[in-house]
Amino acid sequence: MDNGLNFREVFGTADLSDRYYNTPRVWYGQRCFTPSVEQAPESFDLPFIQRADGLIHIDQVRDYLASHYQGTPFDPVGNGTDAEKHQYRPISLAKTQESHVLQLRPDLPVTQSGIHWLAMGVAAESVYVPFYAGATDTPAAYQVATAKYDPTSAYWIYKHVGVLVDAHYHDLHDALQTVQKELAIKLGHHLITTDEQVSQLTGDDLTAALTAANQAAADIALNAMQALAADLITESTDMSPLNYNTDLNL
């Protein structure tokens, strides 16, 4: 900086683990939002604050948090060498429990402007569901917290889909991606519709409507993911290593 103060040097670290654990994630984010600047994934000279090439849309934020170095040799499910694919820790990885984006919409009243986009499980294999901050209750499925699989838990419903896809990633990922895209459209439409429906409400009526809208958003996403899980299980039955092709042995 012009005054000699470098926030990265003051508050950050610069050891060997950063080259593989933290710095590449920053590099990928700056690569996504400022592609005009070329940088190295292990560089300790990445700017603490980087100006984006353009305005950043909420979809881009969600995509970044669900990213795993797509479009580079470092994507764990990409086309790099085995060493490259496991070289850096991605943003979205198997141990991720949940991912959040907090959105404030200044063009709306404070009572309905706040949106909490929440993806349960691994963001890359989940869906960001919009929840109004002005609600007074949480959908029931999001209140179930268990260490073992529970089919009534929102976390485990999303995690179940991820586990099924992981088992045959390149065969099943397209089906997941299709549902993710469809849900992004449906949930976006749900948000727009709800904004219109509650625009004239106030007080307890508004709070009740926002709470109901959150439940509806949760149901839209959970029902779609449960249906997807059923499809993935059905399709996976033909991918067992114990399968035997009679035609090949005639």
Side-chain angles (χ1 to χ4, degrees):
M1 293 187 174
D2 292 340
N3 61 6
L5 178 64
N6 186 313
F7 282 98
R8 183 185 178 97
E9 293 178 356
V10 173
F11 299 106
T13 58
D15 55 34
L16 186 61
S17 66
D18 284 313
R19 292 191 183 279
Y20 305 100
Y21 195 81
N22 294 320
T23 305
R25 303 169 102 197
V26 176
W27 163 77
Y28 191 73
Q30 296 189 3
R31 182 180 186 270
C32 289
F33 301 126
T34 316
S36 61
V37 177
E38 288 193 23
Q39 301 175 120
E42 297 181 24
S43 172
F44 284 149
D45 294 322
L46 296 175
F48 181 75
I49 297 176
Q50 178 73 281
R51 180 178 293 276
D53 285 347
L55 296 177
I56 300 175
H57 191 272
I58 187 70
D59 290 348
Q60 293 174 281
V61 178
R62 297 196 302 254
D63 288 345
Y64 170 63
L65 292 177
S67 67
H68 41 86
Y69 301 120
Q70 296 98 310
T72 79
F74 313 117
D75 185 351
V77 289
N79 298 316
T81 66
D82 190 61
E84 288 172 328
K85 289 193 291 185
H86 298 93
Q87 188 166 345
Y88 301 133
R89 177 177 181 251
I91 300 293
S92 182
L93 70 167
K95 289 183 171 58
T96 303
Q97 300 299 300
E98 56 195 48
S99 180
H100 309 257
V101 178
L102 303 181
Q103 180 184 16
L104 296 177
R105 303 177 296 170
D107 56 323
L108 292 173
V110 173
T111 49
Q112 68 183 84
S113 66
I115 299 294
H116 178 189
W117 296 88
L118 175 59
M120 301 299 289
V122 182
E125 299 171 334
S126 185
V127 177
Y128 283 90
V129 181
F131 294 111
Y132 285 92
T136 56
D137 199 6
T138 303
Y142 285 81
Q143 299 181 31
V144 181
T146 59
K148 295 182 68 175
Y149 172 76
D150 185 329
T152 67
S153 161
Y155 168 80
W156 282 112
I157 290 171
Y158 287 106
K159 190 67 175 179
H160 184 202
V161 168
V163 170
L164 291 171
V165 170
D166 284 343
H168 309 285
Y169 187 88
H170 293 290
D171 292 307
L172 302 179
H173 181 259
D174 285 351
L176 167 63
Q177 196 169 57
T178 296
V179 172
Q180 287 175 318
K181 291 178 179 178
E182 292 173 349
L183 280 175
I185 295 172
K186 288 181 180 179
L187 293 171
H189 180 71
H190 172 71
L191 204 59
I192 293 172
T193 302
T194 302
D195 284 340
E196 295 173 348
Q197 292 173 343
V198 305
S199 61
Q200 303 301 316
L201 299 180
T202 59
D204 292 343
D205 290 339
L206 174 60
T207 301
L210 296 181
T211 302
N214 286 355
Q215 181 65 61
D219 290 342
I220 290 170
L222 290 172
N223 290 339
M225 296 303 277
Q226 287 173 313
L228 173 61
D231 290 340
L232 295 176
I233 290 172
T234 303
E235 190 169 350
S236 296
T237 58
D238 200 36
M239 298 177 182
S240 170
L242 297 180
N243 271 343
Y244 182 77
N245 191 332
T246 304
D247 293 338
L248 295 179
N249 294 278
L250 292 179

